[in-house]
Amino acid sequence: MSETSAAVPERGDARGAHLAHNYHPLPVVIASGEGAWVRDVDGRRYLDCLAAYSAVNFGHSNPVLLDAARAQLERITLTSRAFESDMLGPFADRLAALAGKDMVLPMNTGAEAVESAVKIARAWGYRVKGVEPGKANIIVAAGNFHGRTTTIISFSDDPVAHDDFGPYTPGFTTVPYADAAALARAIDDNTVAVLLEPIQGEAGIIVPPADYLPAVREACTANNVLLIADEIQSGLGRTGTTFACDLVGVVPDLYLLGKALGGSIVPVSAVVGDADVLGVLRAGEHGSTFGGNPLAASVGLAVIAMLETGEPQRRARELGERMHQQLHALVGEGVVAVRGVGLWAGIDISPALGTGREVCERLMARGVLAKDTHESTIRLAPPLVVEQADLDWALEQLAAVLRELREARAA
Ligand SMILES: *Cc1c(COP(=O)(O)O)cnc(C)c1O
């Protein structure tokens, strides 16, 4: 161990010299945040247009969520599931009602919700559908992102996420995204589930045609296959609806929720479904020490109460419509394509102009934080509490950055 390994970095040089290199952050050191704004260690303000990949849907330091967390901190924070706790029942009731389902399995991270759903689907396959032991398969889509565990990266086709981490978990079949016919052809007698993002987030906010998910739902129902919707990034208001599946009137068998469910305070995830599916789990077969802990349940409950008002969804819908109009006006001005719905956009920057990273660095210099993905795409996903005027200003900064880059390339 080096001498400095235990040293706490000074403010201002808090760049994390001892951190593993699994992220490549923009060079901004955030110290505080409120609403859609954050402040760095030198007091500079930035509009957060990433919102921790949609985990901060309700804004930084949301006073209602902080009150719920504070009140719970003073009472009790962890009991384990060995005992019952008074916040978990109400959390499960209200989350089940929000999703129109019977049952909730509480976990912590998104990846754990996905892993749980894989186990549930397999157990359902053997115990209910009658698949031969060890033969269950699950259909997934090309371009998927469902998390970072060894099983989940086994069915990722992103070499950066996948390569050098094998041996890989078998039992998954990949089909092209947004091609319902190809998906239906891949279903066989051993298929227990289809696992999809209703809108692919990390792939660059890929919105499939409106008839895709309904056709997948139909193929699943016709073949006695579960439809599992990974709404960890798309759900809980981001798209202007409670779930992205609502946009096309599709009800999956299992919803996977995470990110925003924790109100940006604690990791909270869940699998939500009906008793005929989630009910296959028996006592002792699955669990988590922290899953559904009192602090998580009380924050989750406060998040659900916000969504029950419909206000975050309405804001995402209205602000999102205007944002997409403004973004579409940039097509041809350095932007090749814009995708998305609600307060969620993937913007492809013309490679001739520069990389997504370059655009994000220039945005940062102007006080706007966004993140690039796949070289030339940038994602905008501000907290749903963002003010109209602030969002308009951020889009002006994007237009200005594109102008700068056009002029730099022309010179
Ligand atoms: C972020 C994400 C996950 C993984 O969530 P973690 O909390 O990072 O484990 C899974 N699925 C989707 C669609 C996501 O965006």
Side-chain angles (χ1 to χ4, degrees):
M1 263 216 193
S2 78
E3 273 188 319
T4 55
S5 64
V8 177
E10 292 296 315
R11 280 182 154 240
D13 97 25
R15 287 281 164 77
H18 298 277
L19 280 169
H21 300 158
N22 57 329
Y23 280 88
H24 178 38
L26 288 173
V28 56
V29 184
I30 295 170
S32 64
E34 195 181 346
W37 291 89
V38 295
R39 221 177 256 284
D40 73 8
V41 286
D42 301 318
R44 278 201 65 190
R45 291 175 86 220
Y46 303 83
L47 191 69
D48 180 0
C49 285
L50 179 65
Y53 309 92
S54 283
V56 188
N57 277 4
F58 311 103
H60 297 280
S61 309
N62 183 298
V64 173
L65 300 179
L66 279 183
D67 279 349
R70 265 192 216 105
Q72 193 59 45
L73 277 173
E74 302 291 332
R75 293 208 301 132
I76 190 164
T77 50
L78 188 61
T79 57
S80 87
R81 296 287 307 277
F83 314 116
E84 300 203 26
S85 69
D86 63 356
M87 297 307 292
L88 186 54
F91 167 70
D93 289 352
R94 296 271 287 278
L95 183 54
L98 185 76
K101 297 285 188 190
D102 303 331
M103 269 188 176
V104 170
L105 171 75
M107 297 296 287
N108 309 284
T109 65
E112 285 177 305
V114 175
E115 288 276 349
S116 302
V118 167
K119 288 174 69 176
I120 292 160
R122 287 174 172 177
W124 174 87
Y126 302 129
R127 295 170 187 175
V128 178
K129 182 166 175 168
V131 172
E132 216 179 294
K135 291 274 164 64
N137 75 66
I138 294 175
I139 297 174
V140 298
N144 71 71
F145 181 87
H146 296 289
R148 302 294 198 166
T149 63
T150 46
T151 286
I152 293 172
I153 59 94
S154 293
F155 53 86
S156 168
D157 55 16
D158 175 355
V160 178
H162 174 274
D163 292 359
D164 290 338
F165 300 123
Y168 301 106
T169 307
F172 299 93
T173 306
T174 304
V175 297
Y177 190 64
D179 183 344
L183 186 146
R185 278 196 302 276
I187 293 177
D188 64 26
D189 291 346
N190 295 325
T191 304
V192 295
V194 168
L195 168 63
L196 290 177
E197 296 158 87
I199 294 172
Q200 287 191 327
E202 296 310 298
I205 326 296
I206 311 295
V207 185
D211 59 359
Y212 173 62
L213 285 175
V216 170
R217 174 69 274 183
E218 220 177 286
C220 286
T221 304
N223 292 287
N224 196 23
V225 166
L226 303 176
L227 175 57
I228 305 171
D230 181 345
E231 294 254 18
I232 290 164
Q233 190 166 160
S234 61
L236 308 182
R238 175 59 52 194
T239 60
T241 47
T242 304
F243 304 107
C245 283
D246 297 342
L247 292 167
V248 289
V250 161
V251 179
D253 297 288
L254 297 175
Y255 288 103
L256 309 185
L257 304 174
K259 293 198 166 108
L261 192 56
S264 77
I265 298 174
V266 276
V268 185
S269 69
V271 181
V272 186
D274 279 332
D276 57 347
V277 180
L278 245 180
V280 299
L281 282 182
R282 302 168 189 146
E285 288 184 340
H286 189 61
S288 161
T289 304
F290 286 89
N293 69 74
L295 183 59
S298 63
V299 171
L301 200 52
V303 163
I304 294 160
M306 278 184 186
L307 288 163
E308 285 169 348
T309 69
E311 180 62 15
Q313 297 91 320
R314 187 188 64 77
R315 283 191 72 83
R317 202 159 50 238
E318 291 176 7
L319 292 172
E321 211 160 287
R322 184 178 162 111
M323 178 178 84
H324 279 282
Q325 275 168 14
Q326 288 165 319
L327 287 174
H328 278 284
L330 298 176
V331 173
E333 311 285 316
V335 168
V336 178
V338 179
R339 293 171 301 275
V341 58
L343 268 179
W344 207 20
I347 303 155
D348 292 342
I349 304 297
S350 166
L353 218 57
T355 60
R357 175 85 186 187
E358 223 175 325
V359 171
C360 289
E361 282 171 358
R362 284 175 184 257
L363 279 172
M364 190 190 100
R366 291 169 168 273
V368 176
L369 296 182
K371 188 71 173 72
D372 55 302
T373 177
H374 300 287
E375 269 316 294
S376 51
T377 300
I378 62 173
R379 163 176 26 203
L380 292 186
L384 311 184
V385 299
V386 68
E387 295 294 338
Q388 177 72 74
D390 292 340
L391 189 55
D392 287 350
W393 170 81
L395 293 171
E396 282 165 26
Q397 304 315 304
L398 175 60
V401 165
L402 294 172
R403 231 175 4 252
E404 268 172 29
L405 284 169
R406 283 202 307 275
E407 282 160 11
R409 293 300 173 265

